[in-house]
């Protein structure tokens, strides 16, 4: 009976540890991916440049500037959905398999002094072996995700020179159509070499740096290491991982982004692509983009290891303790600023969805032709765009406000901070999307209301002693002010409709698409009918 209980307890403990690895590893991987993804986009574009000279990009900074000009800030994050899944899968698999291999090595008898002592650390050679095994295991899951990511990060160049942004669904379908299921593991050998050696370098660099800090400061347990030491250990691990096996990653990226049959003239094997790339660009070409890759690994790996270990330390014993632990974090004033960003993103997404979904549903189903599936897809796209715009704007605005507040000499918000934060958010989110009708509608909506608000502020007087609610541009008792207060709205409404009807009538191509569609439906198509049906029920 005791053996059964012991076995059940052990199984429960192993299941809990596995769940910790998956949840904490996934969260850590996602956090790290948001830090490193812009660097990774630049790295892939540098690695995947065509063979002709001169090269399209002269270096990382040139690539960043041209990418920002061509695709905008959001374009650098294009295709992040697949890498976020990949980061969660990769990091959770790495930590899970690393711990599992460590436990297996302790119980195998290879190190007799460790059998039955799970709290004791493995020798450094054992840690390297576990890192290699974890990397090899993870490469099987990572290759398909990285294949899609690489193809998403490199824009497609049309014959006329225009650049097209690939879509994730099209990339996945295209791989299957042309290469079948096996095609998703194109570049597997490169990923295997990189992850196997990289796993040893990643975990080995982390453990070795921690050992150095322990010896230097006389620390006994890992939990006693300060956060800055663990972050520095993670940074060292990331740099070693990326630098040591970078050539394998270069060949892998090239295999996944080019037609390698044209490159090698024969079967697209890892060795053939390696030889062709070496012949064209030499050792320098093998390490193209390595600097920016190592730079991205400093914050990324530091946060991955730190977030993983901090989450595991705070893993609650039960659901009630989990809720209390979570509430203690969100109610801690120390985390208020960061959590305010999260809440702002959440509110922007929720509000954008609530506002856009019913509007898009009515407008598209009533005024658009097409199948039910195409209409549902249009509703989803419009809702997603609005929610994403407001969520990202909330992040940009609030993050800028926090930055300006903490960098001001007074340590508090200044009167013009909101203007500067809004300026940056407007440029980043809306200013570079002139071709997007949803963005246009939001900006036009905002502008109309701001124009009215500014008109009100201009005529409202200041209240003495309090700074006032208005600007007092006109004297309170002046005839001009009284005339504007009395007739301002009348003039504004009349002039607005006069101008919109004139522009629609003589310059319809200049009118915003959704407004033009409405105007055509009401005023243009009401001039024509050819039967009782098209007069009462349908337009001609």
């Amino acid at each position: 009976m005791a053996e059964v209980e012991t076995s059940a307890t052990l199984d429960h403990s192993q299941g809990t540890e596995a769940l910790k690895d998956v949840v904490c590893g996934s969260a850590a991987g996602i956090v790290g991916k948001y830090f490193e993804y812009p660097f990774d986009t630049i790295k892939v574009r540098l690695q995947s440049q065509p063979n002709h000279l001169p090269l399209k990009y002269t270096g990382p900074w040139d690539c960043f500037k041209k990418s920002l000009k061509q695709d905008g800030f959001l374009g650098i994050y294009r295709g992040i959905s697949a890498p976020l899944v990949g980061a969660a899968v990769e990091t959770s698999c790495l930590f899970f398999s690393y711990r599992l291999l460590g436990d297996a090595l302790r119980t195998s008898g290879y190190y007799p002094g460790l059998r039955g002592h799970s709290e004791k650390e493995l020798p450094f050679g054992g840690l390297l072996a576990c890192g290699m095994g974890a990397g090899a295991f993870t490469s099987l899951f990572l290759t398909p995700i990285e294949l899609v990511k690489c193809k998403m990060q490199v824009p497609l160049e049309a014959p006329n020179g225009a650049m097209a942004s690939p879509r994730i669904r099209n990339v996945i379908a295209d791989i299957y159509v042309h290469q079948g299921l096996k095609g998703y593991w194109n570049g597997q050998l490169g990923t295997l070499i990189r992850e196997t050696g990289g796993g040893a370098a990643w975990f080995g660099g982390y453990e070795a740096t921690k050992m150095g800090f322990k010896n230097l400061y006389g620390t006994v347990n890992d939990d006693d290491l300060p956060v800055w030491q663990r972050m520095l250990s993670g940074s060292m691990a990331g740099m070693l991982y990326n630098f040591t096996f970078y050539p394998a990653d270069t060949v892998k990226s090239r295999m996944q982004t080019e037609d390698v049959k044209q490159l090698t003239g024969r079967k697209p094997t890892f060795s053939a692509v390696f030889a062709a790339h070496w012949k064209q660009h030499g050792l320098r070409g093998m390490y193209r983009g390595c600097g920016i890759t190592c730079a991205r690994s400093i914050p990324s790996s530091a946060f991955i290891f730190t977030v993983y270990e901090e989450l595991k330390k705070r893993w609650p014993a039960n659901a009630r303790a989990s809720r209390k632990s979570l509430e203690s974090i969100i109610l801690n004033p120390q985390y208020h600023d960061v959590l305010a960003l999260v809440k702002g993103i959440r509110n922007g997404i929720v509000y954008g969805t609530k506002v856009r979904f019913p509007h898009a549903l009515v407008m598209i189903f009533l005024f658009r032709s097409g199948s039910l599936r195409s209409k549902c897809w249009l509703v989803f796209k419009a809702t997603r765009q609005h929610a994403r715009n407001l969520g990202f704007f909330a992040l940009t605005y609030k993050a800028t406000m926090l930055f300006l507040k903490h960098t001001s000499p007074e340590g508090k918000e200044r009167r013009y901070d909101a203007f500067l934060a809004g300026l940056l958010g407007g440029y980043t989110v809306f200013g570079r999307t002139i071709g997007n009708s949803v963005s246009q509608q939001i900006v036009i909506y905002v502008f109309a209301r701001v124009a009215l608000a500014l008109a009100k502020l201009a005529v409202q007087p200041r209240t003495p002693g309090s700074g006032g609610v208005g600007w007092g541009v006109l004297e309170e008792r002046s005839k001009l002010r009284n005339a504007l207060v009395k007739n301002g709205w009348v003039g504004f409404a009349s002039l607005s409709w006069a101008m919109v009807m004139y522009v629609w009538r003589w310059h319809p191509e200049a009118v915003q698409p959704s407004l033009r569609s409405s105007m055509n439906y009401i005023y243009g198509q009401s001039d024509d009918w050819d039967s009782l049906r098209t007069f009462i029920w349908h337009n001609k």
Side-chain angles (χ1 to χ4, degrees):
M1 186 68 175
E3 292 180 0
V4 174
E5 290 180 356
T6 302
S7 176
T9 303
L10 184 61
D11 289 342
H12 176 74
S13 175
Q14 288 293 331
T16 302
E17 288 300 317
L19 182 62
K20 286 182 184 180
D21 290 327
V22 172
V23 174
C24 300
S26 297
I30 290 172
V31 171
K33 182 56 66 178
Y34 272 110
F35 278 97
E36 75 172 41
Y37 193 76
F39 298 94
D40 192 57
T41 298
I42 302 304
K43 184 255 313 184
V44 171
R45 292 183 179 182
L46 286 171
Q47 288 178 327
S48 308
Q49 293 185 80
N51 302 329
H52 61 78
L53 294 175
L55 294 173
K56 186 175 181 180
Y57 309 113
T58 58
W61 179 242
D62 181 61
C63 182
F64 176 79
K65 289 191 297 183
K66 289 180 178 177
S67 299
L68 193 64
K69 182 178 180 180
Q70 175 181 304
D71 302 321
F73 182 76
L74 293 180
I76 299 178
Y77 276 92
R78 185 176 62 230
I80 196 175
S81 54
L84 284 179
V85 175
V89 171
E90 178 185 15
T91 313
S92 58
C93 283
L94 279 171
F95 284 116
F96 170 72
S97 53
Y98 182 70
R99 181 190 58 80
L100 207 63
L101 289 169
D103 291 344
L105 201 55
R106 287 186 182 90
T107 58
S108 66
Y110 188 80
Y111 298 107
L114 297 180
R115 179 177 288 183
H117 298 281
S118 59
E119 73 283 354
K120 289 187 177 181
E121 293 185 357
L122 286 168
F124 189 66
L127 296 175
L128 291 178
C130 293
M132 292 179 67
F137 173 74
T138 303
S139 69
L140 296 173
F141 299 91
L142 191 60
T143 301
I145 298 170
E146 286 224 340
L147 174 64
V148 175
K149 179 210 72 172
C150 287
K151 290 183 177 294
M152 287 289 296
Q153 287 174 316
V154 179
L156 300 176
E157 188 168 354
N160 60 0
M163 304 303 291
S165 302
R167 295 187 176 183
I168 188 168
R169 293 183 305 159
N170 298 341
V171 169
I172 294 172
D174 186 65
I175 295 170
Y176 183 77
V177 168
H178 290 91
Q179 297 175 284
L181 193 62
K182 186 179 179 181
Y184 291 109
W185 277 267
N186 181 27
Q188 168 61 29
L189 182 58
T191 309
L192 177 66
I193 295 173
R194 186 196 70 184
E195 291 297 314
T196 303
W202 200 55
F203 285 108
Y206 182 67
E207 299 291 351
T209 310
K210 281 201 309 181
M211 290 177 186
F213 280 124
K214 286 180 183 179
N215 294 332
L216 183 62
Y217 293 98
T219 309
V220 178
N221 298 319
D222 285 353
D223 292 342
D224 297 330
L225 287 171
V227 173
W228 71 268
Q229 292 182 8
R230 275 180 283 165
M231 293 192 75
L232 192 58
S233 301
S235 300
M236 184 62 67
M239 286 189 289
L240 284 173
Y241 163 76
N242 284 287
F243 181 79
T244 308
F245 291 89
Y246 192 81
D249 186 64
T250 298
V251 176
K252 186 265 311 176
S253 293
R254 190 128 190 212
M255 291 181 69
Q256 292 179 332
T257 56
E258 288 190 9
D259 184 357
V260 292
K261 285 184 179 180
Q262 296 181 6
L263 177 68
T264 63
R266 56 183 185 274
K267 186 178 178 180
T269 62
F270 180 84
S271 58
V273 178
F274 182 93
H277 192 83
W278 179 275
K279 183 178 180 180
Q280 291 170 355
H281 303 292
L283 181 63
R284 185 176 181 180
M286 286 293 178
Y287 278 90
R288 184 186 297 150
C290 183
I292 196 170
T293 304
C294 291
R296 77 168 189 189
S297 67
I298 294 174
S300 175
S301 291
F303 276 100
I304 286 175
F305 278 107
T306 304
V307 170
Y308 172 77
E309 293 194 352
E310 290 296 319
L311 288 177
K312 285 200 74 171
K313 282 200 305 183
R314 289 166 172 76
W315 188 271
N318 51 56
R320 181 175 295 179
S322 174
R323 182 171 180 177
K324 286 185 176 180
S325 176
L326 189 59
E327 286 187 347
S328 67
I329 293 174
I330 65 175
L331 295 178
N332 190 335
Q334 181 180 353
Y335 305 125
H336 176 270
D337 288 348
V338 175
L339 294 176
L341 297 178
V342 177
K343 187 71 181 292
I345 298 171
R346 177 261 178 199
N347 288 355
I349 292 173
V350 170
Y351 187 82
T353 302
K354 286 182 177 180
V355 170
R356 178 56 56 176
F357 178 74
H359 177 269
L361 190 68
V362 172
M363 296 301 293
I364 290 172
F365 272 83
L366 286 182
F367 300 108
R368 289 287 187 93
S369 60
S371 65
L372 176 64
R373 180 179 179 182
S374 65
K375 289 182 177 180
C376 290
W377 175 244
L378 290 174
V379 171
F380 169 74
K381 282 180 63 179
T383 304
R384 180 185 62 182
Q385 183 67 46
H386 199 162
R388 185 165 56 188
N389 282 347
L390 294 188
F392 189 57
F393 183 86
L395 171 64
T396 307
Y397 171 78
K398 293 182 75 67
T400 307
M401 288 292 288
L402 288 173
F403 174 78
L404 293 173
K405 175 184 175 181
H406 290 294
T407 55
S408 69
E410 300 84 8
K412 60 182 182 180
E413 180 184 341
R414 293 160 292 190
R415 192 171 183 84
Y416 56 82
D417 285 356
F419 178 85
L420 295 176
L423 187 68
L424 179 62
Y427 171 79
T428 305
V429 182
F430 299 104
R432 303 180 66 87
T433 54
I434 189 171
N436 186 277
S437 60
V438 175
S439 296
Q440 287 182 10
Q441 291 170 22
I442 298 174
V443 174
I444 293 169
Y445 175 90
V446 170
F447 176 78
R449 279 143 184 81
V450 168
L452 288 175
L454 293 176
K456 288 180 180 180
L457 288 172
V459 299
Q460 286 177 348
R462 292 179 179 271
T463 302
S466 65
V469 294
W471 292 343
V473 176
L474 301 176
E475 295 182 8
E476 184 174 356
R477 300 184 183 278
S478 68
K479 292 182 180 181
L480 179 58
R481 178 188 177 278
N482 292 336
L484 286 174
V485 171
K486 183 179 180 180
N487 303 305
W489 173 255
V490 176
F492 176 78
S494 304
L495 187 61
S496 295
W497 278 101
M499 291 304 299
V500 75
M501 298 311 294
Y502 173 82
V503 174
W504 169 74
R505 180 67 182 85
W506 298 109
H507 306 281
E509 71 285 350
V511 181
Q512 200 271 338
S514 64
L515 176 60
R516 182 171 64 244
S517 176
S518 302
M519 302 292 284
N520 288 338
Y521 183 86
I522 299 172
Y523 309 109
Q525 297 174 17
S526 59
D527 289 338
D528 299 305
W529 61 89
D530 57 7
S531 66
L532 183 63
R533 178 175 177 271
T534 56
F535 179 77
I536 296 176
W537 187 247
H538 287 289
N539 282 327
K540 184 178 176 181

